[in-house]
Structures are given as C-alpha cells and as structure tokens.
Amino acid sequence: MTTGDLINIHPTELKFPFELKKQSSCSMQLTNKTTQCVAFKVKTTSPRKYCVRPNTGVVLPGDSCNVTVTMQAQKEAPLDMQCKDKFLVQTVIVSDGTSSKDVLAEMFTKEASRVIEEFKLRVVYIPANPPSPVPEGSEEGNSPRPSLNDFPSHNASLFDDMSRTFEQTNEKSSEAWSMISKLTEEKTNAIQQSQQLRRELEMLRRESSKKQSGGHSLLFMLLVGLLGCFFGYILNRT
C-alpha cells in the first residue's frame, strides 16, 4: 500500500497477466484518509496502450474508489517480460459538493496555494499460464527420469495389472495362431482328398469307356459272323 497525506493507494504496482493477443486488466483502490473531498487524476506514459476507468473522479471523506486499468491486446511479448510503462496518480483537495464532472486538468497544476500529491506506480507483467515448477537437482534441458522405486504403490499395482494383461494377451495370441495353423492344415488335407477323389473318378470314367467300346466290338463281330453264315447258306442252296 502506498500512503500519502490525502489518500492511500493499493496495490503499490499494477500487475497484468500477460498473454499475447488478449486484453488484460487489473485494478487499484484509492482511499480518502482526510475529512475533505479529494479529486484524483490518473495518467500513464503509454495512453494508447491502456484504458483507465475512471481516469478522474472525486473521493468523499473516508470513502474509497476503485480504478480499473485495461491493457490492450499485445502482438509481441517484451524482452524478459520487463515493462517500462509507468502510471501517475495525482490528488488534490477540492471543495465540498465537487463532482467528477467538475474535475478539470487545471486543478492539478502546481501552484503556491495548492497542494498536489503524486504517486508513481510501475507496471509488472506476470505470465497468464505460469510453467510448472522444475524439480530440484534437474539440469537445464534435462528432465529427471523417475525410477520404478519412485512410483507410488497404486502406480506399482497398475503396472502389475498391465503386465498380467499383456501376458494374457500373449497367451490368447498363441492360441489363436495354433488354431489358425490347425485350420490351415485341415484345409490342405481337404484339398488333397478332393484332388484324389477327382483322379479316381477320372480313372473310373476311362475304364467304363473301355468296357463299353469292347462290348460294341464283340457284338459287331457276332453280327458280321451271323450275316456271313446267312449269306453262305443262301449261296449253298442256290
């Protein structure tokens, strides 16, 4: 907290969560510690970069006023996240009944009959998503490798379950390969038996054809013999 004769300001520096291409806001509280009305005005070294609401106003005796500062979205991150921007809060005692609309820039001009109190606040950028802490003992660029002894008991039981599952999978895979080999062998035997049956049927067809052709030859010879005898008998009678 920054303390003056007229007001107290909290916090002492403006902290903005910094994230590229996103707006960021923070606030400060002005508390009037006198028995008179105090007017204030907020200035910054980068007016295009920040929006202050309200940037002027009047704080009643013993009352407080919250001021919201919004930083516009930034396209680039500053080097080492360091910011040189500054804010200046000026305060001055005003007469009772003065409203925020009555606050003018001339009121904060330094004169012999006017006491102006000023406070300077610096801007601090903080990461919007801070990285996780690095374990002690790890070197830059090398992350520590956990050993099996570092795992909790539930992780060890999980590892055992995964090992058993892997073994069961291997057993099922072996059974599947055995079944595939058996089916392949049975298929080969069936093909061989089918080929053997085809060869036997072909042989039977050939034998049947030979027998049929032999029967027809014998019958033809008998018919020729009978016809010869018949013609011989006729010729003998004539």
Side-chain angles (χ1 to χ4, degrees):
M1 178 184 297
T2 301
T3 302
D5 295 333
L6 303 181
I7 64 171
N8 293 333
I9 300 179
H10 179 79
T12 58
E13 56 187 14
L14 300 179
K15 297 181 179 180
F16 292 90
F18 187 88
E19 190 171 0
L20 289 177
K21 299 181 181 180
K22 287 189 178 181
Q23 288 186 348
S24 179
S25 300
C26 69
S27 62
M28 57 180 169
Q29 187 179 63
L30 310 181
T31 302
N32 186 350
K33 56 189 297 186
T34 70
T35 57
Q36 297 174 289
C37 294
V38 176
F40 69 89
K41 182 179 180 65
V42 182
K43 297 180 179 181
T44 177
T45 56
S46 302
R48 295 184 178 180
K49 186 176 179 181
Y50 301 95
C51 177
V52 182
R53 290 290 181 273
N55 61 342
T56 60
V58 176
V59 185
L60 299 178
D63 201 359
S64 298
C65 177
N66 289 323
V67 177
T68 301
V69 183
T70 301
M71 180 179 67
Q72 303 302 320
Q74 301 299 302
K75 296 181 179 180
E76 296 180 356
L79 183 64
D80 297 331
M81 294 294 288
Q82 299 296 320
C83 182
K84 296 181 180 181
D85 298 335
K86 299 289 190 301
F87 279 82
L88 177 66
V89 180
Q90 295 177 309
T91 60
V92 64
I93 294 176
V94 293
S95 59
D96 294 342
T98 303
S99 65
S100 299
K101 296 180 180 179
D102 299 328
V103 178
L104 302 175
E106 292 79 7
M107 293 181 179
F108 302 95
T109 303
K110 294 181 181 181
E111 295 180 358
S113 60
R114 183 180 299 154
V115 178
I116 298 175
E117 198 171 56
E118 296 181 343
F119 304 90
K120 293 182 179 180
L121 306 177
R122 72 187 189 97
V123 175
V124 177
Y125 291 157
I126 58 177
N129 298 313
S132 58
V134 179
E136 295 182 0
S138 62
E139 298 180 357
E140 183 178 358
N142 294 325
S143 58
R145 297 181 179 179
S147 62
L148 292 176
N149 295 330
D150 296 334
F151 289 172
S153 57
H154 67 279
N155 285 346
S157 61
L158 179 61
F159 180 78
D160 294 338
D161 294 340
M162 292 178 64
S163 298
R164 285 194 294 269
T165 303
F166 182 73
E167 292 176 357
Q168 293 175 359
T169 303
N170 287 338
E171 292 178 359
K172 292 181 179 180
S173 177
S174 300
E175 293 177 358
W177 278 112
S178 299
M179 181 64 69
I180 292 173
S181 300
K182 184 177 180 181
L183 291 174
T184 303
E185 184 178 356
E186 292 179 355
K187 180 181 178 181
T188 302
N189 293 334
I191 293 174
Q192 292 177 353
Q193 291 178 1
S194 176
Q195 293 176 350
Q196 181 67 24
L197 288 174
R198 288 180 181 178
R199 286 194 294 269
E200 292 178 356
L201 286 173
E202 187 66 24
M203 291 176 64
L204 290 174
R205 288 176 184 174
R206 291 177 180 177
E207 292 177 358
S208 176
S209 299
K210 290 180 180 180
K211 289 180 180 179
Q212 289 180 0
S213 60
H216 289 305
S217 299
L218 181 61
L219 180 60
F220 179 73
M221 291 175 65
L222 289 174
L223 288 175
V224 171
L226 290 173
L227 288 173
C229 293
F230 177 73
F231 283 113
Y233 175 74
I234 293 175
L235 291 172
N236 289 329
R237 290 187 62 180
T238 55

